[in-house]
Amino acid sequence: MALSNMKYLAVSALLLISRHASATPSSSGLEVALPPPVVMDPGASTGGGGGGNPIGQLTGYVKDSFFRMKDGSVQLYSNHKRCNEIRTKQKDHLAAIAATFPPNSPEQKAASKYRNNAGGVSYEEYNFLVKGKDDRSKLANIVFMMFFQPNFVPYAFMFFPDMLPSPFAMPKKQAMPFSKFENISRERTHAVLQTMIDLEKSSRVPSMLSNMNPFGKGKTRRSMEKLDLLGRQAGGLLVANDANGTKGAKLVLKVLKDEIYTDVKPKNNNLGDLPKPLVKGLGRALEAPSFNSLLPGFFVRGKIVNNLKQIEMADEFLVKENVDLNSLSSLLLEETCSARLIGGPGRSNDDMVEGLEAWLDLSVRQPKE
């Protein structure tokens, strides 16, 4: 049984709607999320040093930039060497598997072919390898822009704040009293609400381009009816009792099981048929907390597809290598759950393991049956 990536993405959005609620019971029986009050540190520094002296601030900025460049370059090279060591372990593992097949046979050639999610390494090493590949890709893009489009580099940093490799990541300008995952959770909660608003608006108000086409009124009406149905289904799942966490995920999959599981793998995986509000909401949730709302729809769809492919490869690695989820560190476990929109911050390791195990069962093991 194959899983339709496009429709599974739509289900992920509904899972996002039904999961992101804290364990704060309300009088109506639903669970609501009450954000903590923001208390800013009056002594937090917003610059590179030097207090209110402009010359001191400039000197501090230049000094911080120099050391950040030096330390980042050293760290990037160290990461590259470790990635090479991990790839060597993977190749040795593949060579050992290939040796069990007859020489020069098609099976031996297929087994010895290198792939990113090959076994022979731990999940921590695999995750490090994926991050290293992403950092090298970012570095190559920056070098290309500096040589061929130097005038656009400042604008690129403006519109794509996460384009720098992780060792060169810029520090936050203000000391916000929230952790990384709390900021991500808050941004995703906003994405859920905005997606519901956009769905409701799109189902009631036709787009400007559709009004300019006198021959497309029927198609516009049918599209609006579909969006209205999707919005009502999502709203119904949102207000359903116990529709959060693993129970919410199972409820969504039970309701839409016939829509997301297919016997034949779909040929079109570019998400072109996915409604725009859902594409934007998913892009904002997956890229939280630094999503750029000015990006065109086709660019957002491409980033979503790439993100889903990385998650799919990681899920296959976890299942194929039979990784013990309890052996993962708290940080890696939280990163893994966050990438899959599972739960929110403040959960125990046991809760995250339970949610991730349910995710792997519903998205990898059951579809193969």
Side-chain angles (χ1 to χ4, degrees):
M1 188 176 286
L3 186 64
S4 170
N5 290 340
M6 181 178 65
K7 293 186 177 179
Y8 183 60
L9 188 58
V11 172
S12 298
L14 299 180
L15 293 180
L16 176 63
I17 295 172
S18 60
R19 286 180 176 186
H20 277 75
S22 67
T24 305
S26 64
S27 59
S28 62
L30 302 177
E31 294 185 348
V32 297
L34 299 178
V38 178
V39 180
M40 293 298 298
D41 182 7
S45 175
T46 59
N53 187 347
I55 298 179
Q57 289 181 349
L58 178 61
T59 303
Y61 174 78
V62 173
K63 179 181 177 181
D64 292 345
S65 299
F66 172 78
F67 282 105
R68 190 181 303 119
M69 175 64 69
K70 180 182 70 68
D71 297 339
S73 300
V74 174
Q75 185 63 44
L76 191 64
Y77 182 69
S78 300
N79 294 347
H80 175 65
K81 291 195 298 183
R82 187 185 175 192
C83 286
N84 286 338
E85 295 174 356
I86 296 173
R87 280 191 288 269
T88 300
K89 293 174 62 176
Q90 289 181 319
K91 292 177 181 179
D92 292 341
H93 175 72
L94 293 176
I97 296 177
T100 61
F101 295 99
N104 300 324
S105 63
E107 294 81 4
Q108 187 185 55
K109 293 180 180 179
S112 60
K113 184 178 180 181
Y114 177 78
R115 51 192 178 276
N116 199 28
N117 60 342
V121 296
S122 65
Y123 183 68
E124 288 85 353
E125 291 175 319
Y126 169 78
N127 187 66
F128 187 89
L129 192 65
V130 172
K131 290 182 178 180
K133 181 180 178 181
D134 185 52
D135 285 340
R136 290 192 301 275
S137 176
K138 291 180 178 179
L139 181 62
N141 291 335
I142 294 176
V143 172
F144 177 84
M145 292 189 65
M146 291 180 65
F147 277 99
F148 296 98
Q149 296 176 328
N151 295 334
F152 292 94
V153 172
Y155 301 100
F157 287 121
M158 181 185 303
F159 289 104
F160 302 97
D162 287 340
M163 68 178 297
L164 285 172
S166 56
F168 300 95
M170 296 290 291
K172 294 185 179 297
K173 293 183 178 180
Q174 293 181 339
M176 295 295 291
F178 303 116
S179 67
K180 167 188 174 182
F181 295 104
E182 287 175 336
N183 289 329
I184 291 176
S185 179
R186 174 168 281 100
E187 184 66 26
R188 286 174 173 170
T189 303
H190 296 171
V192 171
L193 298 176
Q194 188 61 52
T195 300
M196 295 297 295
I197 294 173
D198 292 343
L199 283 174
E200 194 276 337
K201 182 179 179 181
S202 299
S203 65
R204 298 291 187 274
V205 181
S207 64
M208 183 181 300
L209 293 178
S210 63
N211 290 331
M212 298 173 61
N213 183 7
F215 304 103
K217 293 184 179 181
K219 182 179 180 180
T220 300
R221 183 181 67 255
R222 290 190 296 270
S223 177
M224 293 173 65
E225 291 174 353
K226 291 181 180 179
L227 289 176
D228 180 62
L229 176 61
L230 177 61
R232 286 190 283 110
Q233 288 177 338
L237 292 170
L238 179 62
V239 300
N241 292 330
D242 296 329
N244 65 306
T246 305
K247 293 182 179 179
K250 292 182 178 179
L251 175 62
V252 173
L253 290 176
K254 181 179 180 180
V255 172
L256 301 178
K257 181 178 180 179
D258 295 336
E259 298 293 332
I260 62 176
Y261 291 108
T262 60
D263 294 328
V264 181
K265 187 175 182 179
K267 297 180 180 179
N268 185 8
N269 290 325
N270 60 3
L271 311 181
D273 296 334
L274 206 62
K276 291 182 180 180
L278 214 53
V279 171
K280 184 177 179 180
L282 279 173
R284 185 176 178 182
L286 293 173
E287 294 289 329
S290 58
F291 176 69
N292 185 358
S293 59
L294 299 178
L295 293 177
F298 73 90
F299 196 89
V300 177
R301 286 195 297 269
K303 297 187 72 173
I304 292 175
V305 171
N306 292 334
N307 198 314
L308 289 179
K309 288 181 179 179
Q310 289 185 358
I311 292 175
E312 181 182 7
M313 293 180 64
D315 289 345
E316 292 178 355
F317 180 91
L318 288 169
V319 173
K320 183 179 179 181
E321 298 298 318
N322 196 22
V323 176
D324 182 12
L325 301 182
N326 290 291
S327 65
L328 303 182
S329 64
S330 298
L331 178 59
L332 181 57
L333 194 59
E334 196 163 10
E335 288 180 351
T336 304
C337 289
S338 178
R340 290 153 181 78
L341 310 181
I342 299 176
R347 306 175 73 210
S348 65
N349 283 12
D350 293 338
D351 292 337
M352 289 189 289
V353 168
E354 180 184 0
L356 184 56
E357 188 66 38
W359 167 278
L360 295 175
D361 186 58
L362 294 171
S363 63
V364 180
R365 299 188 183 100
Q366 291 188 16
K368 291 183 178 180
E369 296 177 357

